[in-house]
Amino acid sequence: YNDTVRTMKGCDSIITRLDLTVLESITENKTALICQGERYTLPSGRVVQTAGLHRDVMHYANGCDSLITMVQINYKQTPPRGVTGMPAVCEGENTLLTAYGGDRYKWLSADGTISPDQSSIRVSPRVTTTYKVVITTPVCGFNDTISTTVAVHPKPVININKTNDIECQTGVARIS
């Protein structure tokens, strides 16, 4: 750029040559995972705690150029949690209950005792019983208590009544 500065009378002038270099902004993209309720500190020091795309701008000391950081914040997903097993058994039978979706499992019995850390337990209820398991998930340290009920059906009573007589005569069966 050339610039000419003249006096008010237009006689004298100062000619200045200016070389201007414009530095482009630097943009970087980042992805971050947080648990719901957690906070994330952006490069500028600003704190956010919601999922979404966050634009963070930091200016250099001279104030002209800047570092733009685009941070996509997502919530960590917890795996599905639950219990599998037979929902009903006949009196005297047992079933295997298996919890899934965590890294630790504590089964709670009706009398308040807690099983050692195990994902499966074999149960033989005498009456319909609800079982509870505390599942600790690896993501964000969530604890969920899940209940499952095993119904107990009484053994069926079978009555067989004799209604027909069979007679055998010379190798021929006859029903009367």
Side-chain angles (χ1 to χ4, degrees):
Y1 290 95
N2 289 321
D3 191 19
T4 304
V5 180
R6 298 185 194 279
T7 62
M8 289 184 68
K9 294 187 180 184
C11 301
D12 299 25
S13 62
I14 300 172
I15 299 174
T16 304
R17 179 175 170 92
L18 173 67
D19 289 325
L20 179 64
T21 304
V22 178
L23 300 175
E24 291 184 31
S25 303
I26 299 171
T27 302
E28 65 179 4
N29 296 309
K30 292 184 176 184
T31 301
L33 291 173
I34 62 171
C35 294
Q36 200 156 1
E38 283 184 340
R39 297 169 186 244
Y40 181 82
T41 303
L42 298 170
S44 67
R46 188 168 52 108
V47 176
V48 295
Q49 63 182 43
T50 57
L53 185 63
H54 296 272
R55 185 171 193 248
D56 193 40
V57 179
M58 292 190 325
H59 298 283
Y60 289 101
N62 61 10
C64 297
D65 45 350
S66 57
L67 171 64
I68 301 171
T69 305
M70 303 298 283
V71 181
Q72 176 64 49
I73 296 178
N74 299 316
Y75 288 129
K76 293 178 184 176
Q77 297 297 314
T78 57
R81 294 164 305 281
V83 175
T84 61
M86 296 293 293
V89 294
C90 288
E91 194 174 33
E93 291 182 344
N94 63 58
T95 185
L96 184 67
L97 300 177
T98 302
Y100 60 89
D103 62 346
R104 287 192 317 247
Y105 307 92
K106 295 289 185 185
W107 291 90
L108 308 172
S109 68
D111 65 4
T113 59
I114 299 173
S115 73
D117 186 11
Q118 58 192 38
S119 63
S120 297
I121 61 168
R122 184 158 298 280
V123 296
S124 301
R126 291 187 213 169
V127 295
T128 297
T129 305
T130 298
Y131 297 91
K132 293 181 181 179
V133 61
V134 177
I135 300 175
T136 303
T137 56
V139 178
C140 300
F142 289 130
N143 289 331
D144 290 318
T145 301
I146 296 182
S147 298
T148 188
T149 300
V150 178
V152 177
H153 299 297
K155 289 183 180 180
V157 177
I158 300 173
N159 290 322
I160 300 176
N161 295 324
K162 180 179 167 187
T163 58
N164 295 323
D165 288 331
I166 299 175
E167 291 181 14
C168 296
Q169 294 178 357
T170 62
V172 177
R174 187 172 21 163
I175 300 176
S176 56

